[in-house]
Amino acid sequence: SNRQDVTMPISPGSEWGTPSPIPDHARVMSADRQLGLFLRDNSAQQIHAQSLFMQSGDITRVLGVKSRSNNDECIRVIIDAISVSYTDAHGVEHTDVCVGSLSIARRFLRGAICIVSNSGYWNDHEVAPRAHLNDGKLDIFEVSGAMRWSQRRLMWQKTSLGTHLPHPLLSYSQGDFSHWEGSPQRLTIDGQFVATVTKVACRIQSDCVQIYA
C-alpha cells in the first residue's frame, strides 16, 4: 500500500483504515488498558510481531465497531498512543502508556479535573470532539475547580451532544506534549486507577501500533 497512508497523520473526517480479514492467531485485547499495558511492557519488536485485535473499549467505539463474529472482515488501522511519565506521592518516577484517555483528579472528581485524551472519550463522555486516534496530537480537556456541581452535571449531559464547549470554566487544547504538576491527585489511565501523583508528563507517540478491530 501507499507508504504515505502510514506516515502522514490524518485529519478528522478523512478516510482511515483498511478492510482486512481477522488475522489468524491474533492476540485479543478486551480493553484499552490491556493494550496500553502490552505496549508498556513489550519491546517494539515484540509488539510488531503480534497481530493485535481490539474486541472492545473506546478505540472500537471511535471506529464505530460493534461486536463482530470471528469469521467477519474487520478493519486494520494504525493508532497513536500517549507515553506517560509520572512521579508518585513517594517521589518515585514511573512510565506508562495510555491509548484512550487519562485523568488527573481528586477522589469523587471534586475540584479541578485534567483529562488528556487520544480517543476523545473519557468515562463514556465525548470530552474532546476534535480528537482522532491518528492525528499526531494529544487533546487536553480541563475542568476548573470553580465549576459547581450543578454546572458539572449539565456539562456532562452536554458532552453527549458535543455542545459543552466553549465554556469559561472549561479549557480545551491540542498539542504533542502536556505537563501537569500540583498537590497529590489520583492518576487514572484508561479507566484504571494507577497512583497518587504530583507530576505527570504526556507525549504523543504517533503511529505507535497497528491494530485490528
Short mmCIF file of all heavy atoms in Angstrom, two decimals, residues 16-23 28-29 52-57 59-77 211-213:
data_model
loop_
_atom_site.label_atom_id
_atom_site.label_comp_id
_atom_site.label_asym_id
_atom_site.label_seq_id
_atom_site.Cartn_x
_atom_site.Cartn_y
_atom_site.Cartn_z
N TRP A 16 -9.82 6.43 6.66
CA TRP A 16 -8.81 5.90 7.56
C TRP A 16 -9.07 4.42 7.78
O TRP A 16 -10.19 4.00 7.96
CB TRP A 16 -8.92 6.66 8.88
CG TRP A 16 -7.95 6.29 9.95
CD1 TRP A 16 -6.59 6.24 9.85
CD2 TRP A 16 -8.26 5.91 11.29
NE1 TRP A 16 -6.03 5.88 11.05
CE2 TRP A 16 -7.03 5.67 11.95
CE3 TRP A 16 -9.43 5.77 12.01
CZ2 TRP A 16 -6.96 5.29 13.28
CZ3 TRP A 16 -9.37 5.40 13.34
CH2 TRP A 16 -8.14 5.17 13.97
N GLY A 17 -8.01 3.64 7.72
CA GLY A 17 -8.16 2.21 7.97
C GLY A 17 -8.37 1.43 6.70
O GLY A 17 -8.80 1.96 5.67
N THR A 18 -8.05 0.14 6.75
CA THR A 18 -8.13 -0.75 5.61
C THR A 18 -8.96 -1.96 5.99
O THR A 18 -8.68 -2.59 7.01
CB THR A 18 -6.70 -1.23 5.25
OG1 THR A 18 -5.84 -0.11 5.18
CG2 THR A 18 -6.68 -1.99 3.94
N PRO A 19 -9.98 -2.33 5.17
CA PRO A 19 -10.71 -3.56 5.46
C PRO A 19 -9.74 -4.75 5.40
O PRO A 19 -8.83 -4.78 4.58
CB PRO A 19 -11.74 -3.64 4.33
CG PRO A 19 -11.84 -2.25 3.80
CD PRO A 19 -10.49 -1.63 3.99
N SER A 20 -9.95 -5.72 6.29
CA SER A 20 -9.00 -6.81 6.40
C SER A 20 -9.71 -8.03 6.99
O SER A 20 -10.60 -7.88 7.81
CB SER A 20 -7.85 -6.38 7.33
OG SER A 20 -7.09 -7.49 7.75
N PRO A 21 -9.30 -9.25 6.58
CA PRO A 21 -9.82 -10.40 7.32
C PRO A 21 -9.22 -10.39 8.73
O PRO A 21 -8.13 -9.84 8.93
CB PRO A 21 -9.31 -11.60 6.52
CG PRO A 21 -8.21 -11.09 5.65
CD PRO A 21 -8.40 -9.61 5.49
N ILE A 22 -9.93 -10.96 9.69
CA ILE A 22 -9.38 -11.06 11.04
C ILE A 22 -8.16 -11.98 10.96
O ILE A 22 -8.23 -13.08 10.42
CB ILE A 22 -10.42 -11.60 12.03
CG1 ILE A 22 -11.54 -10.56 12.21
CG2 ILE A 22 -9.78 -11.94 13.38
CD1 ILE A 22 -12.66 -10.97 13.12
N PRO A 23 -7.00 -11.52 11.45
CA PRO A 23 -5.78 -12.32 11.30
C PRO A 23 -5.83 -13.60 12.13
O PRO A 23 -6.47 -13.65 13.18
CB PRO A 23 -4.67 -11.39 11.80
CG PRO A 23 -5.35 -10.40 12.68
CD PRO A 23 -6.74 -10.26 12.16
N VAL A 28 -5.98 -11.15 21.39
CA VAL A 28 -7.22 -10.40 21.62
C VAL A 28 -7.07 -9.47 22.81
O VAL A 28 -6.63 -9.88 23.88
CB VAL A 28 -8.41 -11.37 21.82
CG1 VAL A 28 -9.68 -10.59 22.16
CG2 VAL A 28 -8.61 -12.21 20.57
N MET A 29 -7.42 -8.21 22.60
CA MET A 29 -7.41 -7.20 23.67
C MET A 29 -8.86 -6.84 23.98
O MET A 29 -9.59 -6.40 23.10
CB MET A 29 -6.66 -5.95 23.19
CG MET A 29 -5.22 -6.19 22.82
SD MET A 29 -4.19 -6.29 24.28
CE MET A 29 -2.74 -7.10 23.62
N LEU A 52 -2.69 -7.64 16.79
CA LEU A 52 -3.47 -7.23 17.97
C LEU A 52 -4.90 -6.92 17.56
O LEU A 52 -5.14 -6.05 16.73
CB LEU A 52 -2.82 -5.99 18.60
CG LEU A 52 -1.35 -6.17 19.00
CD1 LEU A 52 -0.75 -4.84 19.42
CD2 LEU A 52 -1.22 -7.19 20.12
N PHE A 53 -5.84 -7.66 18.13
CA PHE A 53 -7.26 -7.49 17.78
C PHE A 53 -7.99 -6.86 18.96
O PHE A 53 -8.04 -7.42 20.04
CB PHE A 53 -7.88 -8.84 17.43
CG PHE A 53 -9.33 -8.73 17.01
CD1 PHE A 53 -9.67 -8.25 15.76
CD2 PHE A 53 -10.34 -9.08 17.89
CE1 PHE A 53 -11.00 -8.12 15.38
CE2 PHE A 53 -11.67 -8.96 17.53
CZ PHE A 53 -12.00 -8.48 16.26
N MET A 54 -8.55 -5.68 18.75
CA MET A 54 -9.30 -4.97 19.80
C MET A 54 -10.75 -5.42 19.78
O MET A 54 -11.46 -5.21 18.80
CB MET A 54 -9.25 -3.46 19.57
CG MET A 54 -7.94 -2.78 19.86
SD MET A 54 -7.31 -3.03 21.53
CE MET A 54 -8.54 -2.18 22.52
N GLN A 55 -11.16 -6.02 20.89
CA GLN A 55 -12.51 -6.57 20.98
C GLN A 55 -13.51 -5.52 21.48
O GLN A 55 -14.65 -5.48 21.05
CB GLN A 55 -12.47 -7.74 21.95
CG GLN A 55 -13.57 -8.74 21.78
CD GLN A 55 -13.29 -9.95 22.64
OE1 GLN A 55 -12.83 -9.81 23.78
NE2 GLN A 55 -13.57 -11.12 22.12
N SER A 56 -13.06 -4.67 22.42
CA SER A 56 -13.95 -3.65 22.95
C SER A 56 -13.12 -2.51 23.52
O SER A 56 -11.89 -2.58 23.54
CB SER A 56 -14.87 -4.23 24.03
OG SER A 56 -14.09 -4.83 25.04
N GLY A 57 -13.79 -1.45 23.99
CA GLY A 57 -13.09 -0.28 24.52
C GLY A 57 -13.42 0.96 23.71
O GLY A 57 -14.19 0.91 22.74
N ILE A 59 -11.51 2.57 21.75
CA ILE A 59 -10.95 2.50 20.38
C ILE A 59 -11.99 1.92 19.43
O ILE A 59 -12.25 2.47 18.36
CB ILE A 59 -9.66 1.68 20.37
CG1 ILE A 59 -8.55 2.44 21.11
CG2 ILE A 59 -9.22 1.39 18.93
CD1 ILE A 59 -7.29 1.64 21.31
N THR A 60 -12.62 0.81 19.83
CA THR A 60 -13.63 0.21 18.95
C THR A 60 -14.84 1.13 18.82
O THR A 60 -15.45 1.21 17.75
CB THR A 60 -14.07 -1.17 19.47
OG1 THR A 60 -14.51 -1.04 20.82
CG2 THR A 60 -12.94 -2.17 19.42
N ARG A 61 -15.15 1.87 19.88
CA ARG A 61 -16.27 2.83 19.82
C ARG A 61 -15.99 3.92 18.79
O ARG A 61 -16.85 4.26 17.98
CB ARG A 61 -16.48 3.45 21.19
CG ARG A 61 -17.48 4.60 21.17
CD ARG A 61 -17.46 5.37 22.46
NE ARG A 61 -18.16 4.65 23.50
CZ ARG A 61 -18.59 5.22 24.62
NH1 ARG A 61 -18.39 6.51 24.84
NH2 ARG A 61 -19.22 4.53 25.53
N VAL A 62 -14.77 4.46 18.83
CA VAL A 62 -14.40 5.52 17.89
C VAL A 62 -14.47 5.01 16.45
O VAL A 62 -14.87 5.72 15.53
CB VAL A 62 -12.99 6.05 18.20
CG1 VAL A 62 -12.47 6.94 17.09
CG2 VAL A 62 -12.99 6.80 19.52
N LEU A 63 -14.06 3.75 16.25
CA LEU A 63 -14.08 3.16 14.91
C LEU A 63 -15.48 2.78 14.45
O LEU A 63 -15.67 2.37 13.31
CB LEU A 63 -13.17 1.92 14.88
CG LEU A 63 -11.68 2.20 15.04
CD1 LEU A 63 -10.92 0.90 15.23
CD2 LEU A 63 -11.13 2.97 13.85
N GLY A 64 -16.45 2.89 15.37
CA GLY A 64 -17.82 2.55 15.01
C GLY A 64 -18.05 1.05 14.92
O GLY A 64 -18.94 0.59 14.23
N VAL A 65 -17.20 0.28 15.61
CA VAL A 65 -17.27 -1.17 15.55
C VAL A 65 -18.15 -1.69 16.68
O VAL A 65 -17.90 -1.41 17.84
CB VAL A 65 -15.85 -1.78 15.70
CG1 VAL A 65 -15.94 -3.30 15.77
CG2 VAL A 65 -14.96 -1.35 14.55
N LYS A 66 -19.18 -2.44 16.31
CA LYS A 66 -19.94 -3.17 17.34
C LYS A 66 -19.28 -4.55 17.44
O LYS A 66 -18.25 -4.79 16.84
CB LYS A 66 -21.41 -3.29 16.91
CG LYS A 66 -22.07 -1.94 16.67
CD LYS A 66 -22.27 -1.17 17.99
CE LYS A 66 -22.93 0.16 17.75
NZ LYS A 66 -21.99 1.26 17.52
N SER A 67 -19.85 -5.45 18.20
CA SER A 67 -19.21 -6.76 18.35
C SER A 67 -19.20 -7.48 17.00
O SER A 67 -20.12 -7.34 16.20
CB SER A 67 -19.96 -7.60 19.38
OG SER A 67 -21.30 -7.75 18.98
N ARG A 68 -18.14 -8.22 16.75
CA ARG A 68 -18.00 -8.95 15.48
C ARG A 68 -17.94 -10.44 15.76
O ARG A 68 -17.39 -10.87 16.75
CB ARG A 68 -16.68 -8.57 14.80
CG ARG A 68 -16.59 -7.15 14.32
CD ARG A 68 -15.33 -7.01 13.49
NE ARG A 68 -15.03 -5.63 13.15
CZ ARG A 68 -15.62 -4.95 12.17
NH1 ARG A 68 -16.58 -5.51 11.48
NH2 ARG A 68 -15.28 -3.71 11.92
N SER A 69 -18.47 -11.23 14.82
CA SER A 69 -18.26 -12.68 14.94
C SER A 69 -16.87 -12.97 14.38
O SER A 69 -16.29 -12.18 13.64
CB SER A 69 -19.33 -13.42 14.15
OG SER A 69 -19.25 -13.04 12.79
N ASN A 70 -16.32 -14.12 14.72
CA ASN A 70 -14.92 -14.39 14.42
C ASN A 70 -14.60 -14.54 12.94
O ASN A 70 -13.44 -14.47 12.55
CB ASN A 70 -14.45 -15.64 15.18
CG ASN A 70 -14.23 -15.32 16.65
OD1 ASN A 70 -14.04 -14.17 17.00
ND2 ASN A 70 -14.29 -16.33 17.49
N ASN A 71 -15.59 -14.80 12.11
CA ASN A 71 -15.29 -15.01 10.68
C ASN A 71 -15.52 -13.74 9.86
O ASN A 71 -15.44 -13.76 8.65
CB ASN A 71 -16.13 -16.16 10.12
CG ASN A 71 -17.62 -15.91 10.34
OD1 ASN A 71 -18.00 -14.86 10.85
ND2 ASN A 71 -18.44 -16.87 9.95
N ASP A 72 -15.82 -12.67 10.54
CA ASP A 72 -16.13 -11.41 9.86
C ASP A 72 -14.87 -10.71 9.35
O ASP A 72 -13.79 -10.93 9.87
CB ASP A 72 -16.78 -10.44 10.85
CG ASP A 72 -18.16 -10.01 10.39
OD1 ASP A 72 -18.42 -10.07 9.18
OD2 ASP A 72 -18.94 -9.62 11.26
N GLU A 73 -15.07 -9.84 8.36
CA GLU A 73 -13.99 -8.93 8.00
C GLU A 73 -13.88 -7.88 9.09
O GLU A 73 -14.86 -7.53 9.73
CB GLU A 73 -14.33 -8.27 6.66
CG GLU A 73 -13.12 -7.60 6.03
CD GLU A 73 -13.43 -7.06 4.64
OE1 GLU A 73 -14.22 -6.10 4.56
OE2 GLU A 73 -12.89 -7.59 3.65
N CYS A 74 -12.69 -7.38 9.30
CA CYS A 74 -12.51 -6.32 10.30
C CYS A 74 -11.81 -5.14 9.64
O CYS A 74 -11.68 -5.09 8.42
CB CYS A 74 -11.72 -6.84 11.51
SG CYS A 74 -10.01 -7.28 11.16
N ILE A 75 -11.38 -4.19 10.46
CA ILE A 75 -10.67 -3.03 9.93
C ILE A 75 -9.27 -3.00 10.56
O ILE A 75 -9.11 -3.35 11.72
CB ILE A 75 -11.45 -1.72 10.20
CG1 ILE A 75 -10.81 -0.54 9.49
CG2 ILE A 75 -11.58 -1.44 11.69
CD1 ILE A 75 -11.69 0.69 9.45
N ARG A 76 -8.28 -2.65 9.74
CA ARG A 76 -6.90 -2.56 10.22
C ARG A 76 -6.52 -1.09 10.22
O ARG A 76 -6.66 -0.41 9.21
CB ARG A 76 -5.98 -3.35 9.28
CG ARG A 76 -4.51 -3.28 9.61
CD ARG A 76 -3.74 -4.29 8.75
NE ARG A 76 -3.92 -4.08 7.33
CZ ARG A 76 -3.18 -3.25 6.58
NH1 ARG A 76 -2.22 -2.53 7.12
NH2 ARG A 76 -3.40 -3.15 5.28
N VAL A 77 -6.07 -0.58 11.36
CA VAL A 77 -5.72 0.83 11.48
C VAL A 77 -4.41 0.98 12.25
O VAL A 77 -4.02 0.09 13.01
CB VAL A 77 -6.81 1.66 12.21
CG1 VAL A 77 -8.08 1.74 11.42
CG2 VAL A 77 -7.06 1.13 13.60
N ILE A 211 -3.44 -2.02 14.77
CA ILE A 211 -4.40 -2.91 15.42
C ILE A 211 -5.49 -3.31 14.42
O ILE A 211 -5.71 -2.65 13.41
CB ILE A 211 -5.09 -2.24 16.65
CG1 ILE A 211 -5.78 -0.94 16.23
CG2 ILE A 211 -4.11 -2.04 17.78
CD1 ILE A 211 -6.86 -0.49 17.19
N TYR A 212 -6.14 -4.40 14.77
CA TYR A 212 -7.33 -4.83 14.04
C TYR A 212 -8.53 -4.66 14.97
O TYR A 212 -8.41 -4.82 16.18
CB TYR A 212 -7.21 -6.32 13.66
CG TYR A 212 -6.07 -6.61 12.72
CD1 TYR A 212 -4.77 -6.77 13.20
CD2 TYR A 212 -6.29 -6.73 11.35
CE1 TYR A 212 -3.72 -7.04 12.34
CE2 TYR A 212 -5.24 -7.00 10.48
CZ TYR A 212 -3.96 -7.15 10.98
OH TYR A 212 -2.92 -7.40 10.12
N ALA A 213 -9.68 -4.30 14.41
CA ALA A 213 -10.87 -4.12 15.25
C ALA A 213 -12.13 -4.47 14.45
O ALA A 213 -12.10 -4.51 13.24
CB ALA A 213 -10.96 -2.68 15.75
#
